Amino acid sequence: MSADYVVHGNVAVITLNNPPVNGLGLETRSAAVAALRRAESDDAVRAVVITGAGKVFSGGADIREFNSPRALTEPTLHTLIATAENLGKPVVAAIHGVCMGGGLELSLGCHYRVALPGAQIGLPEVKIGLVPGAGGTQRLPRVVGLEQGLNMIVSGNPVMSEKLAETKLFDRVFDAGLELVAAAVEFANGIADVRPLPKVRDLKIDYPNYEAFLQFSRNTVKAMAGPFPAPLECVECVAASVTRKFEDGLAFERERFLALAQTNESKALRHAFFAERAASKVPDVPADTPTRTIARAAVIGAGTMGGGIAMNFANAGIPVTILEMKQEALDKGLATIRKNYENTVKKGKLAQDKAEQRVGLITGTLAFEDIAQADIVVEAVFEDMEVKTQVFRKLDEVMKPGAILASNTSTLDLDRIADVTSRPQDVIGLHFFSPANVMKLLEIVRGAKTGKDVLATALALSKKIRKTGVVSGVCDGFIGNRMVEQYLRQAFFLLEEGALPEQVDKAIEKFGFAMGPFRMSDLAGNDIGWYIRKRRYAESPDIVYSPIPDRLCEQGRFGQKTGAGWYDYQAGDRKPHASASVNEMIAGYSKEIGVERRTISDEEIVQRLVFALVNEGARILEEGIALRASDIDMVYLTGYGFPLHRGGPMLYADTVGLSNVLAKIQQFARGRHGEAWAPAPLLERLAGEGKGFNG
Ligand code: NAI
């Protein structure tokens, strides 16, 4: 039974019971409707209380039912709400913990609402590209007012119940610590005879000059919503709550909900929502796999990455020791960390005492003995196999048994690193992205011998340090950098053929990327890619690269850090300015190889870059390096600035249609450097079957 029914004196208490958040799935809805009908026909019952089992009232729709016909099977959420609202006896929603989405909409259909303080109240539908679809946009403004209602619905952010205590949303907010059901039953007894039954739908919104406010909201929201249509639709629905009759407003909301559900933007947001949850699941590592305790951490190397990685541990309250080779490098690394925290405090994002606490959790050392007792050690030294294997031999020697030995390598063979130790089962890749204290993505690299408990621990750790962990198999570059390699190769070929860095960057930024490839390289350091390419030239001499980026590096133009890269920079300024000398060098190279430069359309630029990602992504999926297409999308959304409203490269390819993607790739394969465009077999197969990467 997923809604329990118990009678206390004259009051029936219906408890929604569908762990973990009492989602309003079909069984729960059916049971709740049945319980309401039973209360109606039970002569002993004079009033009804609806509450939630455990720590929450209800988190809203059951996400397991999304995209399935069950969501639309009777009794729907609308039917449940109508049953409560039309009951002949008073219905009281007793709210605690979480009351969001459909849960809040249900409570708004009840005649009364009482709550404990500390409950999160919100309508988060906008975050998945929708408007609330069960009356939320019509009823919430009627109880909390036009402005607050609009803010809550457009932002999707929850508000604490005590902050809403003075609004008509709540008839009573009890003192903390009171027993909710007992207090609600007492309240229900007190109002049992009141007639007519109060209904939110009957309330009028009192807001003088609402038109001016709505127009102002439309303008602000439009400017902030970027490519997403839902926020503005939220405003229109709220507008309907003042300008239309209740039933007409409901119908308008329903229509907008259904229209938005069909948009690519909403599909992309829902995809990302599910992709994030799916990423933490590994088929052969069940949820009950034992994990190791991580109470102390260590980081090797206090450079760009080491410092940021250490901050992640400190931010999660885990003490961490950084080991360096030289005191000078250690001091420099620790000073950078302190400065980072100071800046966060200055921006008002962190309290001074919290920052001090975190800095206090980070210590430095030059001696391996000082880190021997750590539960996990993350190596972030130079990207060089010799240096890394030397460090891992040492770690094998000193670390306590059971310690997890992790490498932050971005491209190197993790299995070779693991094999220099006597405990390859304890070795794993934890590939952070720069800046490591900011970027959400953590690629978790599973080596051939990585223990399941080590993988499960890494997945749990990624949650603890608030990262999106995505599991990757071992290959050169793992998921993200292996794909970006093909994207960059195309960007460089485009330069040879007629494009310039600013055109390429502008085209892909217009598509929605946070940063184009050339701005990105200037930020990360062009020398990093140069170094990796040199290794690849030696290891895979058959792969053709444009030498243009190497020529750039030969001039010492490493990017922002040297004040010059693909662009020119002025001292103290990160703004890129087109570089006449770089552009001349590019045109000179085209001439040198006898390529007549042509005008390249923005459309071609986007297709060459994005389909290069897609084609390599298909290979990665087929080889099992990525467990699912949505994992690849997660990597690109959280680590590479791929536009969220397009849902990641693989979902984008599905949206375009795989047969269209394949046709373009086949066309590119007949063009210059066509060898880079051999279609991935999986892409060919799925396109032939009329399927997508995501089914
Ligand atoms: P970095 O050059 O800024 O820092 C490396 C640090 O390691 C230096 O401070 C160096 O003194 C120290 N170090 C070198 N050998 C050592 C040893 N044997 N014992 C102790 N300390 C030692 O390099 P960065 O950029 O932090 O990269 C580190 C690792 O992270 C590399 O494997 C790199 O591929 C990877 N990575 C880098 C990213 C980036 O954007 N910079 C992104 C993701 C991964």
Side-chain angles (χ1 to χ4, degrees):
M1 186 76 155
S2 45
D4 309 322
Y5 182 90
V6 179
V7 179
H8 296 260
N10 292 319
V11 178
V13 176
I14 299 172
T15 306
L16 306 169
N17 191 352
N18 183 18
V21 295
N22 301 325
L24 298 168
L26 180 57
E27 271 93 39
T28 310
R29 298 194 305 265
S30 305
V33 167
L36 283 165
R37 298 223 165 102
R38 182 169 163 193
E40 176 113 271
S41 58
D42 187 339
D43 287 342
V45 169
R46 294 167 59 224
V48 182
V49 166
I50 299 186
T51 191
K55 292 192 179 138
V56 305
F57 178 76
S58 170
D62 191 332
I63 58 167
R64 290 164 290 202
E65 227 172 55
F66 263 53
N67 310 327
S68 91
R70 289 167 63 86
L72 301 173
T73 306
E74 287 288 352
T76 61
L77 183 55
H78 283 90
T79 306
L80 170 58
I81 293 171
T83 310
E85 195 172 49
N86 297 328
L87 211 75
K89 301 172 183 178
V91 182
V92 180
I95 294 165
H96 66 311
V98 173
C99 178
M100 305 265 274
L104 180 56
E105 291 178 304
L106 168 60
S107 77
L108 287 165
C110 296
H111 307 112
Y112 298 92
R113 285 154 301 280
V114 297
L116 285 178
Q120 298 183 51
I121 311 295
L123 291 173
E125 286 78 358
V126 71
K127 295 189 174 173
I128 46 172
L130 298 171
V131 295
T137 64
Q138 303 308 296
R139 288 191 180 93
L140 188 64
R142 282 178 158 80
V143 290
V144 300
L146 188 62
E147 269 183 51
Q148 176 127 28
L150 187 128
N151 287 342
M152 286 175 73
I153 292 166
V154 168
S155 73
N157 294 332
V159 176
M160 285 296 169
S161 49
E162 62 271 24
K163 293 233 167 87
L164 297 164
E166 301 304 318
T167 70
K168 291 182 208 157
L169 175 59
F170 294 121
D171 298 282
R172 194 79 49 85
V173 174
F174 301 121
D175 290 338
L178 218 65
E179 215 280 298
L180 178 64
V181 172
V185 167
E186 193 185 328
F187 176 89
N189 273 315
I191 50 81
D193 295 329
V194 176
R195 294 295 181 279
L197 292 167
K199 291 180 183 172
V200 172
R201 62 160 63 214
D202 298 332
L203 298 174
K204 287 272 160 301
I205 296 174
D206 182 21
Y207 197 97
N209 202 5
Y210 60 81
E211 265 310 339
F213 170 70
L214 290 172
Q215 200 45 46
F216 165 79
S217 307
R218 284 186 186 104
N219 296 342
T220 342
V221 170
K222 202 170 179 177
M224 280 166 45
F228 294 100
L232 200 57
E233 294 288 5
C234 286
V235 178
E236 295 309 339
C237 288
V238 172
S241 75
V242 227
T243 59
R244 301 186 187 210
K245 286 201 207 96
F246 181 79
E247 286 299 338
D248 296 345
L250 265 195
F252 180 73
E253 177 197 83
R254 191 76 202 140
E255 176 199 309
R256 300 329 299 153
F257 175 88
L258 292 173
L260 281 169
Q262 295 306 316
T263 60
N264 287 334
E265 290 82 3
S266 174
K267 284 181 190 160
L269 288 170
R270 280 177 281 156
H271 175 69
F273 180 86
F274 287 107
E276 176 149 25
R277 280 152 186 79
S280 61
K281 298 188 175 74
V282 180
D284 65 333
V285 182
D288 59 358
T289 306
T291 55
R292 301 187 190 178
T293 305
I294 305 288
R296 291 177 67 180
V299 172
I300 315 285
T304 315
M305 295 307 288
I309 295 169
M311 287 174 75
N312 280 299
F313 286 113
N315 294 347
I318 302 171
V320 54
T321 305
I322 308 182
L323 182 141
E324 256 291 346
M325 288 186 298
K326 295 213 175 80
Q327 189 65 42
E328 199 191 337
L330 183 59
D331 291 344
K332 195 170 153 222
L334 291 172
T336 307
I337 292 175
R338 270 194 297 274
K339 210 164 132 231
N340 272 337
Y341 278 121
E342 274 164 26
N343 287 340
T344 321
V345 171
K346 265 190 214 143
K347 283 188 206 149
K349 288 186 182 163
L350 186 68
Q352 179 75 36
D353 59 331
K354 281 238 167 78
E356 278 166 24
Q357 228 174 41
R358 292 178 188 186
V359 170
L361 287 173
I362 304 175
T363 47
T365 184
L366 302 178
F368 274 91
E369 304 83 73
D370 291 342
I371 62 162
Q373 294 307 313
D375 301 305
I376 186 167
V377 48
V378 185
E379 165 278 311
V381 303
F382 305 131
E383 184 75 346
D384 183 300
M385 190 52 104
E386 275 307 305
V387 182
K388 297 223 190 251
T389 46
Q390 211 179 340
V391 167
F392 271 78
R393 279 195 191 96
K394 184 75 189 167
L395 290 176
D396 191 24
E397 223 175 275
V398 300
M399 296 307 292
K400 71 173 182 186
I404 294 179
L405 315 183
S407 172
N408 182 47
T409 178
S410 19
T411 52
L412 298 176
D413 185 343
L414 185 80
D415 291 331
R416 274 181 61 197
I417 297 176
D419 280 342
V420 304
T421 73
S422 63
R423 35 176 144 172
Q425 75 281 0
D426 295 342
V427 176
I428 193 163
L430 290 182
H431 183 209
F432 289 83
F433 287 70
S434 181
N437 53 320
V438 178
M439 295 294 288
K440 287 289 285 175
L441 178 62
L442 178 64
E443 264 185 332
I444 300 175
V445 184
R446 180 182 194 175
K449 296 177 190 158
T450 302
K452 287 184 184 179
D453 60 334
V454 172
L455 185 56
T457 307
L459 284 161
L461 177 70
S462 71
K463 286 209 177 97
K464 183 144 194 209
I465 60 173
R466 297 161 153 233
K467 300 281 178 202
T468 303
V470 179
V471 178
S472 170
V474 176
C475 66
D476 189 349
F478 314 120
I479 298 173
N481 282 343
R482 173 167 157 189
M483 285 165 68
V484 95
E485 169 80 3
Q486 299 308 322
Y487 166 95
L488 289 174
R489 267 177 86 203
Q490 288 305 317
F492 301 145
F493 287 147
L494 283 163
L495 296 183
E496 294 181 353
E497 291 165 38
L500 291 173
E502 56 273 29
Q503 190 203 352
V504 175
D505 282 350
K506 277 206 183 110
I508 200 79
E509 285 164 19
K510 208 162 136 222
F511 174 79
F513 266 86
M515 225 186 272
F518 298 103
R519 277 178 61 202
M520 185 180 84
S521 298
D522 272 0
L523 181 67
N526 297 315
D527 51 324
I528 295 183
W530 192 25
Y531 184 80
I532 294 171
R533 277 194 305 278
K534 282 185 198 159
R535 174 172 63 75
R536 289 193 176 133
Y537 297 154
E539 285 175 5
S540 321
D542 300 344
I543 302 182
V544 181
Y545 288 88
S546 168
I548 292 178
D550 299 348
R551 292 193 178 186
L552 185 84
C553 288
E554 281 157 15
Q555 296 175 15
R557 299 185 68 112
F558 291 168
Q560 287 189 18
K561 60 183 169 190
T562 56
W566 293 104
Y567 296 95
D568 290 337
Y569 296 88
Q570 280 152 15
D573 187 4
R574 288 165 175 264
K575 194 169 178 286
H577 301 274
S579 165
S581 77
V582 170
N583 292 353
E584 246 168 58
M585 180 268 282
I586 292 168
Y589 180 71
S590 305
K591 201 164 176 198
E592 193 183 313
I593 55 171
V595 169
E596 184 153 349
R597 293 178 69 77
R598 63 184 169 98
T599 307
I600 299 178
S601 70
D602 287 359
E603 190 191 10
E604 179 179 341
I605 291 174
V606 168
Q607 287 172 338
R608 295 256 304 258
L609 298 187
V610 176
F611 293 167
L613 291 177
V614 172
N615 202 32
E616 195 64 22
R619 291 183 200 283
I620 282 174
L621 193 56
E622 188 160 37
E623 290 169 24
I625 297 292
L627 289 167
R628 40 183 98 76
S630 67
D631 281 5
I632 297 176
D633 287 336
M634 227 42 231
V635 166
Y636 267 77
L637 292 174
T638 56
Y640 292 82
F642 196 97
L644 176 59
H645 69 285
R646 301 191 192 274
M650 308 313 269
L651 186 77
Y652 176 68
D654 287 351
T655 310
V656 172
L658 294 194
S659 55
N660 297 325
V661 174
L662 179 63
K664 260 293 156 201
I665 287 180
Q666 284 163 337
Q667 182 196 323
F668 293 145
R670 292 189 292 272
R672 192 168 173 272
H673 287 304
E675 75 281 353
W677 287 105
L682 178 67
L683 173 64
E684 284 181 318
R685 180 164 66 72
L686 291 173
E689 291 169 359
K691 288 191 183 148
F693 291 119
N694 292 283

